Amino acid sequence: MPRHEDPRLLTGRGRFLDDIALTGMLHAGFVRATVAHGRVTELDLSATRAVPGVVAAYDAADLALGDIVAILDRPAEEFTPTAMPVLARDKVRFVGEPVALVVARDPYAVEDGIEAARVAYDVLDAVTSADAALAAGAPVVHDEAPDNVLLDVSMFDTPGVDEAFAAAGTTATGCVVEVETHSARQNALPLETRGALASWDARDDQLLVQTTTQVPHQVRTMVARCLGVPERTVRVTVPDMGGGFGQKCVVGREEIAVAAAAQRLHRPVKWIEDRREALTAGFLAREQHYRTRAAFDGDGHITALDVDVVCDMGAYSCYPFTAGIEPLMASAEMPSVYRVPAYRVRGRAITSTKAPTAPYRGVSRPQYVVAIERVMERAARELGLDPVEVRRRNVVTQFPYTGVNGVTYDPGTYRESLDLAESIIRDEGWYDERDRAAAAGRHLGIGFCCFSERTGYGSEAFAKRKMTVVPGFDLSEIRMDTTGAVVVTSGTMNHGQSHETTFAQIVADRLGIDTARVKLRQGDTERIAYGWGTFASRSVTIGGSAVALASERLGELLCRIAAHLLETRPENVALDGDGGVAQLDDPDRRLSYEDIADVAYLRSHLLPKDVEPTLTATASFDVPGDGTFSNATHAVVVEADPGTGAIRILRYACVEDCGVVIHPQVVEGQCRGGIAQGIAGALFEEVTYDAQGEPSAASFIDYLVPTATEIPDITIAHLETPCAFTANGAKGAGEGGTIGAPAAVLNAVNDALRHTGVELDTTPIHPATVLDALEGRP
């Protein structure tokens, strides 16, 4: 079926934040730090306030706002909380950190006001890498963390690790492999940057914040806390949103500052992040280093895994997830799809003088999957086995499976997806083509990646991280009007996932009505008590399950009223799948939803005595236990250009299992978009800094983003293992493409370079690195 959103969005009728203009609206911008690390010795806004058109200029003392603090309920030796001020006060910790807010009548006056601000710093040494942060005598980013470590957790150290390594190292047939992998810092790069438009409603005594966020209720909570006002006085709404990818599932300091300015001025204030700000000062992700050791027996079975994870989280903890989001994710799920008998892991989050980190599509899984998949490749080489066969001998095949990490995996198709992906590549003749290419002096390689994606994290799963703010559940309310049409609310937040379509399908399936008669309302904190938004592939698994349960309860209410009106027993009626309720023993006796709604609202005296005059139902849903796991195998064929070192992807196949596929076009769009972002991380995108902490990429001239010409055609095959405990049988599909692509591409590139003796374990893969390998340079 066609997607509901497409006609509106594709014909320019979408309504995005910067499309909104209010009477008397002012514009805002930020004076940002020009040094990566320094004490603020002077901040003079007097010249700014004198600029024509400037209405106000605020520093931290002027606004006197509370700090943003994200906390884990862990002992001091494991976690150090740090405060992120809305505007920097005595110290700045990255280039681009906001130190003052300028409000003016137009954006041009804002820029003039920013330029007029005088800020002086006592410059301190920058901390631009994890190694530098951990070095003895390193500059201290936060006084609370003198060693620059915000999280240090050894989550698992199960019995038998040392014994397994000793056995593998002393037997003639086993082996111990060690791989060090590194991923570069990336920007999520949603097409629409961040922004906020705040306005004061004197009649309702309420601050309206329209913003580009994946988590409107969390923004409301933090705006109210920082402003020191009751939460009922803050309303957050989200218009159409051009992507988020996790960068917008944390609370930004800029939207709080804009809200504070609107509250003080009693006028609408708008801030739209420009692309330079987005690239240099927006939330970043992905900079991680893994040292992974694995023991294997002579048959290629893994016997132990020992991992050290270091994540550079930048200057601050993000709210609500904290700096622990990446190392805790990696530590908990590192064994991936493989049977690992013994497991030891240490995860650390370090702070540096870079823009802070937020979850980005996949959240550590692209990185730990690279680590474990490189281990499988290395073991295959050491043992003289085919890499696919090593995976085949180690993947989980019996479900439910409780791993050494204490996580219970629901049924999936780990082995089946691997076999099908391999058969696609083999049946198309790519193995033979690789051999022919090698004989002709060309450099073709084939790579695989087998992985799982935990989706729909519920409260139990998040609570294991010991977060003091525990996401999980979702709520839904459904209302039928007098015409039999319905409005359904959800605490999720669409930003490209086609919720208007898939949620309408869920309702229509439960009630037997046309999807055109279903309207989804979300992105408004006044419409639902609390919601956790959209991230971690939770929308259909959790939000969709709540919608399904609410729809079923409305259906039960409709049947109860219809039975009363038809003067029959409740068990003798059922929804007829055609917009009505029919009597089972006499199907010709039926009432349409319009008939029932007419009585419920306009002739309520005819209702059963114990039924209230409304057609409304609510439901909540929370995934039990460890959540549900999608899985996939990616297969890639690449060719390395001996003249330039460039990597060209010749073939890309994805075999995925996300349970029941509600809308195939939507799922395949999620897969392809995710794969494109994964390829970007493997071959192109990287945020770098000079020794002073200045980011090198302030535009797309320097930050290399793949275009349509670099992304290949992608074949997607679906397997379907319904989830037993979501209301739709669906699992999440939002992040898998991004998770699998980096490892699959990296393995394919290494296969293309197999004759050189060089192995690459860092992403992105630079052409110069490939060229050096092909030409025999170290």
Side-chain angles (χ1 to χ4, degrees):
M1 59 169 285
R3 292 181 295 198
H4 287 189
E5 301 91 338
D6 286 357
R8 173 171 56 85
L9 295 175
L10 295 177
T11 57
R13 290 181 285 120
R15 188 168 183 259
F16 297 87
L17 182 66
D18 207 22
D19 296 324
I20 303 172
L22 302 178
T23 302
M25 185 175 73
L26 302 173
H27 297 264
F30 292 88
V31 179
R32 295 185 179 273
T34 56
V35 301
H37 196 198
R39 295 184 181 90
V40 180
T41 58
E42 180 185 11
L43 176 54
D44 185 354
L45 299 176
S46 57
T48 295
R49 296 182 177 113
V51 169
V54 169
V55 175
Y58 304 106
D59 61 18
D62 295 325
L63 293 182
L65 298 170
D67 293 337
I68 302 170
V69 183
I71 299 176
L72 294 176
D73 188 16
R74 289 182 175 273
E77 62 269 20
E78 290 187 349
F79 176 72
T80 301
T82 55
M84 180 165 64
V86 175
L87 296 175
R89 287 187 286 267
D90 56 338
K91 188 178 182 181
V92 295
R93 295 177 172 87
F94 66 93
V95 172
E97 181 165 10
V99 297
L101 173 67
V102 178
V103 182
R105 292 188 177 91
D106 60 62
Y108 309 102
V110 169
E111 293 298 328
D112 291 342
I114 291 171
E115 188 173 348
R118 291 181 56 191
V119 189
Y121 304 95
D122 176 13
V123 179
L124 304 172
D125 290 338
V127 181
T128 59
S129 70
D131 288 342
L134 296 172
V140 175
V141 181
H142 292 275
D143 292 341
E144 307 94 309
D147 57 358
N148 291 325
V149 176
L150 301 181
L151 178 99
D152 189 346
V153 176
S154 297
M155 188 176 288
F156 297 101
D157 190 356
T158 67
V161 173
D162 293 330
E163 292 82 355
F165 278 101
T170 56
T171 59
T173 56
C175 71
V176 173
V177 298
E178 181 169 339
V179 179
E180 289 200 35
T181 55
H182 179 81
S183 58
R185 209 166 191 82
Q186 279 186 261
N187 194 308
L189 283 181
L191 187 61
E192 180 190 26
T193 58
R194 297 180 300 146
L197 169 55
S199 55
W200 177 257
D201 188 332
R203 179 179 180 276
D204 285 343
D205 187 33
Q206 189 177 57
L207 188 64
L208 172 62
V209 181
Q210 301 180 76
T211 186
T212 56
T213 182
Q214 298 168 229
V215 288
H217 283 87
Q218 286 72 67
V219 171
R220 182 185 69 179
T221 294
M222 191 47 63
V223 167
R225 290 182 180 180
C226 289
L227 268 62
V229 299
E231 202 160 326
R232 69 140 192 94
T233 64
V234 180
R235 178 185 184 185
V236 176
T237 65
V238 184
D240 288 324
M241 183 163 53
F245 308 122
Q247 187 185 68
K248 299 176 182 175
C249 78
V250 297
V251 180
R253 57 217 299 197
E254 292 91 348
E255 50 204 347
I256 296 171
V258 168
Q263 181 196 44
R264 284 171 170 263
L265 296 170
H266 281 201
R267 289 181 64 179
V269 179
K270 178 196 278 188
W271 166 71
I272 299 295
E273 181 182 56
D274 65 31
R275 189 58 72 180
R276 179 185 176 87
E277 288 178 300
L279 286 167
T280 59
F283 290 99
L284 303 176
R286 299 279 202 248
E287 191 171 2
Q288 302 182 20
H289 182 88
Y290 290 69
R291 183 192 59 79
T292 307
R293 296 174 62 240
F296 286 82
D297 66 19
D299 293 323
H301 297 113
I302 191 168
T303 58
L305 192 63
D306 185 358
V307 189
D308 184 67
V309 183
V310 178
C311 302
D312 184 340
M313 303 304 291
Y316 297 100
S317 271
C318 64
Y319 181 89
F321 301 103
T322 80
I325 174 90
E326 290 190 336
L328 291 176
M329 169 79 83
S331 297
E333 301 184 18
M334 180 79 187
S336 189
V337 294
Y338 302 112
R339 299 186 304 273
V340 176
Y343 179 44
R344 175 189 295 143
V345 63
R346 180 188 186 189
R348 283 175 286 174
I350 66 95
T351 183
S352 64
T353 54
K354 303 175 186 176
T357 291
Y360 173 31
R361 196 176 193 174
V363 190
S364 281
R365 286 167 290 188
Q367 285 67 51
Y368 77 65
V369 166
V370 163
I372 191 70
E373 290 296 293
R374 292 299 300 142
V375 161
M376 291 295 165
E377 295 282 320
R378 194 73 56 86
R381 188 193 67 188
E382 294 290 331
L383 296 170
L385 297 172
D386 179 77
V388 173
E389 181 58 30
V390 171
R391 291 176 173 86
R392 192 175 283 124
R393 294 179 185 184
N394 285 282
V395 294
V396 176
T397 56
Q398 299 295 318
F399 298 95
Y401 171 78
T402 300
V404 69
N405 54 352
V407 173
T408 298
Y409 299 77
D410 60 333
T413 50
Y414 300 177
R415 170 73 179 267
E416 294 84 350
S417 69
L418 177 62
D419 289 345
L420 181 54
E422 184 197 33
S423 69
I424 290 172
I425 297 300
R426 191 173 298 281
D427 293 348
E428 291 179 359
W430 285 106
Y431 283 96
D432 294 336
E433 178 63 21
R434 181 184 63 178
D435 294 340
R436 287 192 294 269
R442 294 165 57 209
H443 311 285
L444 260 66
I446 297 171
F448 292 88
C449 172
C450 191
F451 66 94
S452 64
E453 173 197 358
R454 187 176 354 190
T455 70
Y457 291 75
S459 300
E460 291 183 51
F462 275 118
K464 288 183 178 180
R465 297 183 186 175
K466 301 184 179 179
M467 296 170 62
T468 58
V469 176
V470 183
F473 68 87
D474 215 286
L475 305 174
S476 178
E477 179 186 69
I478 186 168
R479 303 189 307 272
M480 180 173 283
D481 64 25
T482 59
T483 67
V486 300
V487 174
V488 62
T489 65
S490 173
T492 59
M493 186 62 245
N494 179 58
H495 50 282
Q497 297 90 346
S498 296
H499 290 183
E500 292 178 36
T501 302
T502 51
F503 283 29
Q505 286 181 270
I506 293 168
V507 174
D509 184 63
R510 296 302 191 278
L511 295 179
I513 58 176
D514 192 282
T515 58
R517 295 176 65 78
V518 181
K519 182 63 178 178
L520 174 66
R521 298 289 187 191
Q522 58 182 183
D524 186 344
T525 57
E526 295 284 270
R527 288 186 175 270
I528 197 163
Y530 212 86
W532 288 103
T534 289
F535 57 88
S537 299
R538 68 184 306 274
S539 292
V540 166
T541 52
I542 299 178
S545 291
V547 166
L549 294 175
S551 301
E552 290 171 0
R553 290 177 183 176
L554 177 59
E556 293 167 1
L557 177 60
L558 290 165
C559 286
R560 187 176 179 189
I561 296 172
H564 175 76
L565 297 176
L566 293 170
E567 299 180 333
T568 187
R569 304 179 314 279
E571 61 270 19
N572 192 36
V573 298
L575 305 183
D576 64 6
D578 191 27
V581 178
Q583 189 167 311
L584 295 178
D585 60 5
D586 187 358
D588 290 334
R589 297 192 71 218
R590 71 181 295 275
L591 292 171
S592 68
Y593 291 158
E594 292 91 329
D595 296 331
I596 300 170
D598 180 77
V599 169
Y601 293 114
L602 306 180
R603 294 184 291 161
S604 59
H605 63 287
L606 299 178
L607 289 171
K609 298 300 182 184
D610 57 348
V611 172
E612 296 180 355
T614 182
L615 294 179
T616 303
T618 61
S620 66
F621 185 81
D622 194 349
V623 170
D626 293 314
T628 180
F629 288 79
S630 299
N631 68 271
T633 297
H634 291 199
V636 183
V637 182
V638 305
E639 182 169 9
D641 187 320
T644 65
I647 299 297
R648 185 162 66 98
I649 300 176
L650 306 179
R651 184 73 173 93
Y652 204 113
C654 166
V655 181
E656 69 83 35
D657 185 344
C658 64
V660 173
V661 177
I662 294 175
H663 195 294
Q665 187 181 22
V666 170
V667 170
E668 293 193 2
Q670 291 290 303
C671 290
R672 289 191 172 92
I675 288 168
Q677 287 182 305
I679 291 172
L683 298 177
F684 298 98
E685 296 183 15
E686 181 176 18
V687 178
T688 59
Y689 297 80
D690 65 18
Q692 289 72 46
E694 178 77 26
S696 61
S699 74
F700 288 135
I701 295 174
D702 302 303
Y703 189 81
L704 192 60
V705 180
T707 69
T709 59
E710 284 82 38
I711 302 301
D713 290 337
I714 299 166
T715 297
I716 298 172
H718 299 285
L719 301 175
E720 190 169 294
T721 307
C723 178
F725 46 81
T726 61
N728 310 299
K731 305 176 182 182
E735 299 177 285
T738 313
I739 294 169
V745 171
L746 184 59
N747 285 334
V749 171
N750 276 298
D751 189 47
L753 302 178
R754 60 193 178 278
H755 62 287
T756 68
V758 174
E759 292 200 36
L760 306 180
D761 295 310
T762 295
T763 56
I765 305 165
H766 296 293
T769 307
V770 175
L771 203 57
D772 287 344
L774 291 175
E775 295 181 357
R777 293 192 295 266

